[in-house]
Amino acid sequence: LEFRRLLFRSPESGPVDLDWTPPALKQLEAQAAAKSSFTLDRTMLNAAAGFISDSDADVKRTIDRLDGVSVRLLRFGPSGISDEAPVDAIREAYHLRGWKHLATTTNNGGPLHNGTTDVWLVVDGANVRGAVVLAETSKSLTLVTVAGNLSPADLLHLRGHFGIPRFEGNGLAG
C-alpha cells in the first residue's frame, strides 16, 4: 500500500514531476525499436524561445510561463505496438495520480497523426500547473509532460512545439 501511495502520489501535493513516468512505459520501452527522450528546463526553454518567430508572441508568452517540458518518443517496428494493455495502464496511471482527463481525440487517416491523443491536466483554480499529452499511433507513442503556470488557452499555443502534436481546431476535445 505504501509503495502504491508513493508511486501514484497526487500531483496536488507538490510541483509536477517531469521525471515521473507511468511504470507501464518501461514495458513499452523494452518493445520499442527506437526510443529517445529529452527534458528542457526553464533555462533551455528560454533559449528555445529565441528561435520562435516574433509573430508568434502568444507562443513566446506561453513558454515564459513554463517550468519545464519532458518528451519521450517510442517507435515500434513494422508490427507496431504488440499489446495495448501497457498503453491502457499508462492512461490508468494518470487517473490514479489524480490528473484530470480533459480529452481523447481520434484521427483516422490524417496525414500527420493517425491515432489517438489523450490530454490530462493538473489544475490549480483557474490555472494549469501541468499537462500530459499521450499521442499513440499504430507504430509510435509520444508522451509529453509540461510543468508551469498556464492558462488553458496556453496549451493551445503549444501545439506543434516541444513534441506536442499539432491538432486542429481551437479546442482540446474532438
Side-chain angles (χ1 to χ4, degrees):
L1 183 62
E2 178 65 17
F3 173 74
R4 184 176 170 93
R5 186 184 67 74
L6 290 173
L7 185 63
F8 298 112
R9 185 176 66 96
S10 171
E12 284 81 15
S13 60
V16 172
D17 183 0
L18 292 172
D19 294 324
W20 185 86
T21 58
L25 189 66
K26 296 279 186 234
Q27 184 178 354
L28 288 169
E29 286 174 344
Q31 298 172 20
K35 54 190 162 234
S36 59
S37 65
F38 61 90
T39 299
L40 302 173
D41 63 12
R42 184 180 289 274
T43 302
M44 289 186 266
L45 287 167
N46 287 337
F51 295 106
I52 304 288
S53 166
D54 287 339
S55 64
D56 287 332
D58 290 336
V59 174
K60 284 188 170 200
R61 277 192 297 277
T62 299
I63 292 172
D64 285 343
R65 295 181 182 124
L66 293 175
D67 294 326
V69 175
S70 177
V71 179
R72 289 167 178 77
L73 306 160
L74 304 178
R75 303 282 182 250
F76 299 90
S79 61
I81 297 173
S82 61
D83 181 8
E84 197 64 22
V87 180
D88 292 337
I90 289 171
R91 290 181 177 105
E92 180 65 13
Y94 284 104
H95 169 74
L96 290 172
R97 279 180 71 88
W99 289 70
K100 307 303 180 221
H101 188 259
L102 180 66
T104 298
T105 62
T106 303
N107 182 3
N108 294 321
L112 297 178
H113 181 69
N114 184 5
T116 303
T117 302
D118 287 284
V119 179
W120 291 270
L121 302 177
V122 175
V123 180
D124 182 12
N127 289 330
V128 176
R129 289 192 307 111
V132 168
V133 176
L134 175 67
E136 176 192 9
T137 69
S138 62
K139 296 186 181 173
S140 69
L141 188 95
T142 303
L143 183 69
V144 181
T145 306
V146 176
N149 185 18
L150 306 167
S151 73
D154 289 331
L155 295 176
L156 296 174
H157 297 305
L158 292 174
R159 296 177 296 187
H161 300 282
F162 309 115
I164 298 171
R166 178 170 284 289
F167 49 88
E168 297 300 319
N170 288 324
L172 293 172

